Amino acid sequence: SDKPDASRLAAGLGTTWETLQVGYKPHASVTSIHSALDSLSEIMRDKALGAGDIGAIDVGLSPMTFVHCAWEYKAQSVTAAQMNLYFGMAVIAIDGVAFTEQYNEKRLGEPPRLVVLP
């Protein structure tokens, strides 16, 4: 800033709690696909389904999420996998979670287990 204000460092100290503004991110992926991941997880749990029971999945997305996250998955990087709807849905179907272990570099290119096409 061109106008630093050191008094802001202690403003509200002891009365304003920023931790109340912190959220929990349940999946190690881009947040715009979390609702799809949550939905698949809930359906699989409620219907006692395994990955082998799934023939196809139809996901409704916003146009922006579709553009940024629904591209054909190709093993590239952890970030690419975290941004990809199909990879996220596959790990939910296979592991039941999409957390840090599912986005480990060793898991990114595990065809045919994780190959999911649009």
Side-chain angles (χ1 to χ4, degrees):
S1 169
D2 292 338
K3 298 177 185 175
D5 182 3
S7 67
R8 289 182 59 205
L9 293 172
L13 188 63
T15 58
T16 302
W17 302 97
E18 294 298 331
T19 53
L20 299 175
Q21 304 303 317
V22 174
Y24 173 71
K25 191 173 170 190
H27 309 292
S29 66
V30 63
T31 55
S32 57
I33 66 170
H34 280 210
S35 59
L37 302 181
D38 289 340
S39 297
L40 177 59
S41 180
E42 187 172 330
I43 291 167
M44 291 185 71
R45 184 177 51 252
D46 290 352
K47 303 293 183 186
L49 300 174
D53 298 318
I54 299 171
I57 299 173
D58 187 12
V59 179
L61 303 169
S62 71
M64 198 62 112
T65 300
F66 181 80
V67 168
H68 292 287
C69 303
W71 34 269
E72 182 179 345
Y73 177 73
K74 293 180 181 146
Q76 300 170 37
S77 66
V78 170
T79 303
Q82 290 172 314
M83 293 290 297
N84 189 270
L85 171 72
Y86 303 108
F87 188 93
M89 297 293 276
V91 296
I92 287 289
I94 293 164
D95 292 351
V97 295
F99 211 56
T100 55
E101 183 178 319
Q102 285 68 40
Y103 293 96
N104 183 308
E105 282 192 32
K106 295 174 187 159
R107 300 247 354 236
L108 301 184
E110 288 187 344
R113 252 175 35 102
L114 295 181
V115 172
V116 178
L117 301 175

